[in-house]
Amino acid sequence: MKLYYAPASSYSQRVLIAMYEKGVNFTPISVNLFDPDFREKYMQINLFSKIPTLMTEKNNVIFEANIIIEYLEQNFPNTSRLIPLDSERAIEVRMLERIIDVYINSGREALFADTQRPLEERGKKEVLKAKRLLETALELLDEKLAERTWLGGSEFTIADCAAAPTLAYLRMVYNYKHLENLTNYVRRLEKRPSVAVVFNAGREQMTQMLSTLRYPLQLVSL
């Protein structure tokens, strides 16, 4: 299998974490979408020019991070499970993954975009709405984590793959230290070997990207 990815991409990181959790063999191919020639060639693989993209051993092309993880679950059933076999628990972790993507990651993107506007143009209605939904989602996760090690319970799942990069990058634009359960959970995430490897690999590229911003931001440690 070949995985086309970018080290600092949060969606790439989700899939990489899943790959390392399951211990599957794959060939990583770093993608530079800012290079016009590479981008043109890459579009022959993924017409949407998005990352990550998985090319299977049968040369089937799969994109969208959560779909790639679903593929890994179906095709490598004897490795660590990221989607529980129990149907109710599986629905819950899928729901949590969607909450992270739709409300937390989208809110993070809205807040990030807001930081790159002049001060007088910040804090508009749509940004405030995104922030409110973001905070609601964070509080929901904090409640879930009151008696859980991971979002789905005692086992690491697809929801945690999504949460790790999303919550790490969120700290650049939103401080959630007041949510104690969530903060302790993120500390556990960052100590997990699969997450630590992925974060270390992406740190240099993310630092370079941050240095080009109009209004600089920085990666924040807990």
Side-chain angles (χ1 to χ4, degrees), residues 17 21 149-150 156 164 168 171 183-200 203 222:
I17 290 168
E21 285 289 330
T149 301
W150 307 111
F156 193 91
R171 294 200 300 268
T183 299
N184 290 333
Y185 163 70
V186 172
R187 291 191 179 115
R188 290 194 295 275
L189 279 174
E190 293 180 345
K191 291 179 181 178
R192 195 168 179 94
S194 62
V195 177
V197 168
V198 171
F199 281 7
N200 287 336
R203 188 167 287 110
L222 286 175

Side-chain angles (χ1 to χ4, degrees), residues 51-64:
I51 47 176
T53 299
L54 182 72
M55 182 175 289
T56 72
E57 293 176 352
K58 296 181 179 179
N59 291 325
N60 293 324
V61 174
I62 303 172
F63 39 84
E64 297 300 326

Side-chain angles (χ1 to χ4, degrees), residues 7-10 13 108 112 169 172 199 201-212 217-219:
S9 156
S10 65
Q13 290 182 353
R108 176 189 67 83
F112 172 81
Y169 287 159
M172 292 189 292
F199 281 7
R203 188 167 287 110
E204 181 179 353
Q205 186 182 65
M206 176 53 68
T207 301
Q208 291 174 350
M209 292 169 62
L210 292 175
S211 69
T212 66
L217 297 171
Q218 61 180 353
L219 291 168

Side-chain angles (χ1 to χ4, degrees), residues 3-17:
L3 181 69
Y4 295 84
Y5 78 108
S9 156
S10 65
Y11 288 100
S12 293
Q13 290 182 353
R14 295 183 189 197
V15 173
L16 286 167
I17 290 168

Side-chain angles (χ1 to χ4, degrees), residues 33 38-49:
L33 294 177
F38 190 99
R39 187 184 185 93
E40 184 176 351
K41 293 178 182 178
Y42 182 63
M43 286 183 68
Q44 298 175 20
I45 300 169
N46 185 330
L47 290 173
F48 298 102
S49 294

